[in-house]
Amino acid sequence: MPNGKPARAPDDPTTQRELFMDVLSANATRRDAKQYLARFKPTNSKVPAVQGERTARRDQDRLDRLGVNLGGLYTPARAIADAPRFEREVSEEKSGTAAQQELHVALVCLRAPETLDDSILDGLATTLSQLVKLDMRIVVVLELAGDFSEASVRARRTAIAEQAERLSKAIMRHSTEGSRFVTGSLEIDDNGEVDVYVPRLILDPLKRGVVPIIPALAHTQTGQLVKADIGDVMAGMTRALCGTLEEPGQPASPPVSTLLDRVIILDPAGGIPSRRRSDNAHVFINLEQEYGGIEKELLQYASWDDGVSHPNMFDQHVANLHMMKNCLRMLPPASSGLIISPYEAATSSQNSAQDSTIGTGTRRQKNTLIHNLLTNKPMVSSSLPTARLTSASNDTPPVTIPTATLIKHGMAVSTIPSIHRGQGWQVPTTGISDLELDKSPEIDFPRLVHLIEDSFRRKLDTPHYLSRLHNRTAGLIVAGAYEGAAIFTWEQPPHTTSPSRLIPYLDKFAVLQSSQGSSGVADILFQSMVRSCFPRGVCWRSRKDNPVNKWYFERCAGSWQIPGTQWTMFWTGEGVVEGSERWGDYVGVCREVVPSWADGRRPD
């Protein structure tokens, strides 16, 4: 009974209502819901033929015995028999062997559980139990913050067992499946690499929805129990959960395939800090693009003695970032990681539990972990203008606990031409650009055309488009393997021929339909545009009824409906409205740009 309140049964209506409200408050889009439900396969479950034959014989016996044809009175209604049921998608071998079971798993690292009071631990248990109900199996790895010498491994094991017991009791209050403290499943070699030596100890609880709780301890090949580095344990668990968990010589029956969808680090230090945001955190990290820069930033923070931050706080953030990188590089692109303070994770659950009635005008706090499960997105978009989120001082590292950070292995980002750090693309002194999209060896032009046509769902008039961009292409941003791209031009405002008046214009912003949504491609492109390529600003236009405009409105510095046209003009950067010449140039260009579509429909 945390805080003296009686625990509710896991099937209590109020408990179920809290889960439903947390799901609804996640604000998952139709695309998010579709991607989540894709984990289930709608199959028509009909009455088997054998059962039908037995029913027919039974009816005939009744007819013979009573002299009355009862027909289908006692048989299930056809609508019920034919009703689809959501079942986990499995593949059944032609030979008739048992179908393979798929388990979606989240690997959770809980650091310093001994520093959490019972109410926080209860809030965490609530959320973990809700994730299990949403078909996400949980594996928890415990790591203590206390300083134990190598000679006191037994004391460490006892201390971890005490914390595992606390967590188990909290989970039991909210889940009928409960949890199990699993020891003896990990083995460490002479190089410090950790492997799951007895998979069955983890797999058996997972199949039943039980949460295995694993200490960061492992046995050597000689049988000695030693402390294992938490990063090595998480890497070893990730390797084990990447595929089919089977013990050599004892295959699971039926075979079980584990899909590691999420890696979650619950650390009192919180998410990865950033001094550029008021929430103090990098809300989203594309490891392929940002890892090196953020690591340097954290090392700079670590050397900063402000008299407030904990001495090892930023070293801890570097370790968490490194741990997440090592885990995610073994997983498919759709998998993601989340680094979050247990206080933030528990507070959302506590607030939802305390809010038994939602009054008019009351805004419910989102549950970060459930939001991540349903959307695979950060709570706040990373491409929102930092000017609206900037903290009071940009010169010092954040000293409060950062909010959650969503991390993906992500994709490489290429800028053509390349950019010198902090400068962006510069206006050509002659007013003429020598970059040609179809002739540059750095650009795969056919793939670029396919990307544009797939994104806009329209056929591009390629000759007309190349003619329009001739001598005016400013640059190109490519995300991943042409999963997204942004094309920029230098546009000459009407009634002037001065090269100094050329303005940067976002001509095409395209993302493959298959990459739209939770992949974060659009955010990655937009961040590169405003932070690297055009830090002083850029303009673009969009048809006024374009559904994407809501996304543009949230990220632009300003917008204006151009009178007498179907266009809405957007821009980034400062001083556009105040500078009458720049304003006129932006409006003139957005009025005059000629579209290049081959379908003859109205332009985008």
Side-chain angles (χ1 to χ4, degrees):
M1 292 193 303
N3 296 331
K5 297 180 181 179
R8 290 195 294 265
D11 57 351
D12 181 84
T14 304
T15 302
Q16 300 298 329
R17 178 184 180 279
E18 290 168 4
L19 174 60
F20 295 147
M21 293 301 296
D22 281 334
V23 170
L24 293 175
S25 65
N27 291 339
T29 65
R30 180 180 298 180
R31 183 184 289 115
D32 296 331
K34 183 177 180 181
Q35 291 173 346
Y36 172 73
L37 292 175
R39 295 162 53 177
F40 304 92
K41 180 182 180 181
T43 58
N44 287 327
S45 178
K46 298 184 179 181
V47 179
V50 174
Q51 181 180 343
E53 293 175 1
R54 292 175 179 172
T55 301
R57 287 198 301 268
R58 184 183 60 193
D59 287 347
Q60 186 61 43
D61 291 341
R62 290 173 182 158
L63 177 62
D64 294 340
R65 187 170 60 253
L66 300 177
V68 179
N69 189 348
L70 300 178
L73 180 61
Y74 291 104
T75 62
R78 181 175 180 180
I80 297 176
D82 292 345
R85 295 187 303 176
F86 282 102
E87 297 176 347
R88 181 172 312 288
E89 184 172 1
V90 296
S91 58
E92 190 166 330
E93 301 293 338
K94 294 182 179 180
S95 61
T97 58
Q100 182 173 348
Q101 182 184 5
E102 289 184 346
L103 301 178
H104 292 264
V105 181
L107 177 60
V108 180
C109 171
L110 177 56
R111 287 184 178 271
E114 72 275 19
T115 64
L116 308 179
D117 61 32
D118 289 344
S119 63
I120 297 297
L121 208 61
D122 187 76
L124 283 178
T126 300
T127 296
L128 295 180
S129 301
Q130 289 176 334
L131 292 177
V132 173
K133 293 176 182 177
L134 292 172
D135 196 48
M136 179 65 78
R137 308 302 169 92
I138 305 295
V139 178
V140 178
V141 178
L142 290 186
E143 166 69 356
L144 298 184
D147 185 16
F148 294 83
S149 65
E150 290 296 329
S152 61
V153 173
R154 182 174 299 179
R156 175 180 284 273
R157 185 190 185 285
T158 301
I160 292 181
E162 292 175 356
Q163 298 307 317
E165 179 69 14
R166 290 181 62 216
L167 180 59
S168 294
K169 289 181 178 179
I171 292 176
M172 185 60 71
R173 285 192 289 266
H174 304 283
S175 171
T176 55
E177 290 80 10
S179 62
R180 176 188 292 180
F181 185 44
V182 177
T183 60
S185 64
L186 303 181
E187 184 180 61
I188 187 170
D189 63 16
D190 295 337
N191 297 321
E193 184 172 294
V194 176
D195 288 315
V196 177
Y197 180 66
V198 189
R200 178 172 47 84
L201 296 178
I202 299 173
L203 181 59
D204 288 350
L206 276 182
K207 290 191 291 186
R208 302 195 305 271
V210 176
V211 178
I213 301 176
I214 303 170
L217 301 172
H219 285 89
T220 65
Q221 294 176 348
T222 60
Q224 181 183 3
L225 184 66
V226 298
K227 175 186 179 298
D229 179 79
I230 186 62
D232 294 333
V233 173
M234 291 292 287
M237 290 298 304
T238 299
R239 281 192 299 272
L241 294 171
C242 280
T244 302
L245 262 181
E246 290 186 3
E247 194 168 335
Q250 298 185 15
S253 179
V256 176
S257 174
T258 53
L259 305 177
L260 186 52
D261 292 340
R262 301 288 187 274
V263 178
I264 301 171
I265 299 177
L266 295 167
D267 192 324
I272 302 299
S274 171
R275 66 182 180 182
R276 297 196 300 178
R277 301 177 63 92
S278 60
D279 51 14
N280 295 326
H282 288 278
V283 296
F284 173 72
I285 295 177
N286 174 20
L287 287 174
E288 188 72 19
Q289 177 193 16
E290 303 177 271
Y291 178 80
I294 294 177
E295 185 180 39
K296 291 180 181 178
E297 179 184 346
L298 292 175
L299 292 174
Q300 177 186 354
Y301 291 166
S303 63
W304 192 292
D305 183 10
D306 58 6
V308 179
S309 305
H310 299 296
N312 299 322
M313 176 186 296
F314 298 106
D315 291 337
Q316 180 81 354
H317 290 304
V318 173
N320 285 342
L321 186 64
H322 184 69
M323 182 197 305
M324 193 64 77
K325 179 185 178 184
N326 286 340
C327 292
L328 291 180
R329 69 181 180 183
M330 294 183 266
L331 301 176
S335 298
S336 64
L338 187 70
I339 304 179
I340 181 174
S341 161
Y343 310 109
E344 180 183 352
T347 299
S348 56
S349 294
Q350 290 174 323
N351 286 353
S352 67
Q354 295 167 3
D355 186 17
S356 58
T357 59
I358 304 296
T360 303
T362 301
R363 175 168 293 183
R364 182 186 185 86
Q365 180 173 345
K366 293 181 182 180
N367 186 305
T368 307
L369 296 183
I370 290 180
H371 173 86
N372 172 251
L373 169 63
L374 297 179
T375 69
N376 206 12
K377 299 175 183 176
M379 294 286 283
V380 178
S381 174
S382 59
S383 63
L384 288 174
T386 55
R388 301 177 186 176
L389 300 168
T390 301
S391 57
S393 173
N394 284 334
D395 298 325
T396 59
V399 295
T400 57
I401 297 176
T403 57
T405 298
L406 177 69
I407 303 178
K408 295 185 179 182
H409 185 269
M411 58 195 67
V413 178
S414 304
T415 54
I416 306 167
S418 59
I419 297 175
H420 297 291
R421 186 172 181 85
Q423 294 184 0
W425 287 321
Q426 304 297 314
V427 177
T429 56
T430 61
I432 298 176
S433 170
D434 57 2
L435 177 62
E436 301 289 345
L437 295 180
D438 61 333
K439 296 178 181 178
S440 171
E442 300 178 85
I443 300 174
D444 189 335
F445 186 65
R447 295 183 73 176
L448 180 61
V449 171
H450 169 74
L451 165 61
I452 294 172
E453 294 180 345
D454 179 83
S455 177
F456 286 87
R457 299 176 175 87
R458 302 178 68 175
K459 185 72 175 177
L460 184 69
D461 186 344
T462 305
H464 181 274
Y465 188 60
L466 290 174
S467 175
R468 196 188 82 73
L469 268 59
H470 182 62
N471 289 339
R472 67 174 70 189
T473 305
L476 172 70
I477 305 173
V478 178
Y482 285 82
E483 296 165 67
I487 302 174
F488 303 89
T489 58
W490 297 115
E491 297 292 342
Q492 190 74 62
H495 315 300
T496 178
T497 58
S498 172
S500 63
R501 294 280 294 276
L502 288 174
I503 65 168
Y505 177 76
L506 171 59
D507 187 83
K508 289 287 185 290
F509 191 92
V511 178
L512 285 176
Q513 295 181 45
S514 59
S515 297
Q516 294 173 7
S518 61
S519 62
V521 176
D523 285 331
I524 291 171
L525 289 173
F526 200 90
Q527 284 190 81
S528 296
M529 177 183 79
V530 298
R531 296 181 184 177
S532 302
C533 300
F534 296 106
R536 295 185 58 192
V538 63
C539 73
W540 70 97
R541 72 181 186 184
S542 175
R543 199 177 62 244
K544 62 182 180 182
D545 58 351
N546 188 343
V548 180
N549 286 351
K550 179 180 183 296
W551 195 84
Y552 288 150
F553 282 128
E554 293 172 344
R555 287 154 181 79
C556 68
S559 63
W560 190 58
Q561 175 67 48
I562 302 177
T565 73
Q566 61 179 335
W567 303 113
T568 298
M569 179 178 76
F570 299 90
W571 67 88
T572 64
E574 301 177 354
V576 175
V577 177
E578 295 80 3
S580 58
E581 182 179 83
R582 190 179 179 191
W583 170 265
D585 289 349
Y586 275 19
V587 174
V589 165
C590 289
R591 279 183 180 273
E592 300 297 328
V593 169
V594 179
S596 299
W597 299 112
D599 52 19
R601 294 189 288 119
R602 60 180 182 171
D604 272 330

